[in-house]
Amino acid sequence: MPPRQLPSKFCRFQAPAWSRTYSSAPRVSLAYDLHEPAKPSSNAPGAIIFMHGLFGSKKNNRSISKALARDLGRPVYAVDLRNHGDSPHNPHHDYVSMAADVAGFIDEHKLKNTTLIGHSMGAKTAMTLALKLPEIIHDIVSVDNAPLDAALLSNFGKYIQGMRRIEEAGVTKQAEADHILKDYEESLPIRQFLLGNLYQARDKKTKTFKVPLKVLASALDNLGDFPFKNPGEVRFEKPALFVRGTKSKYIPDEALPIIGQFFPRFELADIDAGHWVISEQPEAFRQVVVEFLKPNE
């Protein structure tokens, strides 16, 4: 029987329009949605921070964030990482910078015993912060990524080409953009995911992308890398869950020993899905995360 649906409180922070320009500041103040539980747990640790993947945003994780807030009785902050969603743009896009943004978010909101959940790019951001500042993190959930250097899906470069072509075409309708993107991606759900970044400014007649395509294009070669190379020098000794899509190549079996060296208390959960684990199998994902994060009796 599925869990009883309970209403969750919800509040939103969106950076003002002027702040979503380029910032040279070393840390970016992240936009977020806060999903609060209707019945807060009295014995759970602190808040959960949920981080999306490349080309994603906080809105992609709205449903699962509400479900986890409900099931765990914990507030869930779904954030927009730098250069995504409503967060400011910055010419630097790497895991150390993104981890610093999240550390600043934790400090800014005075969060304690924080759980980090991240998918893909968000997963490597979570791992980076956990290894860099383990004292401020309670545990992590890494979704379909591992702490090693690995090439990104080749599709990401194609996506940027298609998105650039859409901007050059000066489209005014979503359908026009989708027609162009078909040349670069056959899957309708993935096209819809990418086109979720499309918007039209009030003073413009054509649509553009919220994400800075030039910055992300230059960052692609480095987004497959992981900033820590030697697990003998740094480890996260607290609980960690690695959720793997069994049809994805991002956590091969040969990666498990290196995960164990960086995260000696890690657990592995396999889900019958590709790289987009959360959208493909939301209920299976919810179950493994709740089982991992539920307080011990």
Side-chain angles (χ1 to χ4, degrees):
M1 179 180 295
R4 184 163 59 95
Q5 297 288 322
L6 295 174
S8 67
K9 299 177 185 176
F10 172 78
C11 74
R12 177 193 305 274
F13 168 80
Q14 178 171 310
W18 56 262
S19 73
R20 295 196 295 277
T21 55
Y22 285 95
S23 167
S24 60
R27 185 176 79 78
V28 163
S29 184
L30 302 179
Y32 67 94
D33 288 345
L34 172 58
H35 303 276
E36 292 189 292
K39 295 184 178 180
S41 172
S42 59
N43 63 337
I48 296 169
I49 296 178
F50 209 127
M51 293 168 284
H52 57 81
L54 183 61
F55 301 125
S57 73
K58 59 186 182 297
K59 67 182 181 182
N60 301 133
N61 296 318
R62 185 172 296 156
S63 295
I64 187 63
S65 294
K66 290 180 178 180
L68 294 178
R70 175 200 67 210
D71 295 346
L72 296 168
R74 299 172 63 181
V76 179
Y77 292 83
V79 300
D80 281 336
L81 297 173
R82 63 170 54 198
N83 295 314
H84 287 75
D86 297 313
S87 286
H89 297 171
N90 189 287
H92 300 287
H93 194 84
D94 56 74
Y95 292 115
V96 171
S97 298
M98 287 185 277
D101 294 342
V102 178
F105 185 89
I106 290 171
D107 180 65
E108 177 185 351
H109 294 272
K110 297 179 172 55
L111 305 181
K112 305 292 184 183
N113 297 320
T114 305
T115 292
L116 301 179
I117 301 177
H119 171 250
S120 195
M121 181 182 74
K124 279 193 171 176
T125 301
M127 289 183 268
T128 299
L129 180 53
L131 291 171
K132 195 170 183 64
L133 292 172
E135 63 275 11
I136 70 171
I137 304 302
H138 186 269
D139 47 24
I140 72 166
V141 177
S142 171
V143 187
D144 212 52
N145 222 332
L148 43 75
D149 296 346
L152 291 180
L153 289 170
S154 59
N155 293 359
F156 285 122
K158 288 198 308 181
Y159 296 159
I160 288 182
Q161 292 176 22
M163 293 161 85
R164 280 176 162 167
R165 190 175 148 203
I166 288 169
E167 288 195 336
E168 291 166 358
V171 303
T172 58
K173 298 179 180 178
Q174 196 92 349
E176 296 171 349
D178 184 63
H179 181 73
I180 293 173
L181 203 57
K182 282 181 182 178
D183 290 342
Y184 300 86
E185 175 54 55
E186 294 181 358
S187 168
L188 176 59
I190 293 179
R191 294 201 308 272
Q192 291 173 331
F193 165 72
L194 295 169
L195 294 177
N197 290 289
L198 205 59
Y199 82 112
Q200 186 170 335
R202 290 180 180 178
D203 59 341
K204 302 289 184 180
K205 294 183 178 180
T206 59
K207 293 179 179 290
T208 55
F209 286 96
K210 283 187 175 184
V211 294
L213 298 178
K214 183 177 180 180
V215 170
L216 296 183
S218 64
L220 280 183
D221 287 343
N222 297 321
L223 285 179
D225 296 342
F226 190 65
F228 295 100
K229 311 300 182 186
N230 185 357
E233 295 177 354
V234 59
R235 304 173 95 189
F236 183 72
E237 306 277 358
K238 300 175 185 179
L241 174 65
F242 282 73
V243 181
R244 175 169 66 173
T246 56
K247 299 174 184 174
S248 171
K249 67 178 183 66
Y250 276 97
I251 308 182
D253 288 342
E254 50 267 33
L256 300 183
I258 193 73
I259 292 175
Q261 291 176 55
F262 277 118
F263 300 92
R265 294 181 60 188
F266 91 98
E267 299 175 28
L268 179 68
D270 281 340
I271 291 180
D272 181 22
H275 182 57
W276 311 97
V277 179
I278 302 170
S279 60
E280 291 179 41
Q281 295 279 14
E283 177 56 19
F285 177 77
R286 183 197 67 79
Q287 289 179 12
V288 299
V289 172
V290 169
E291 178 64 25
F292 175 72
L293 293 179
K294 69 180 181 182
N296 294 325
E297 298 298 333

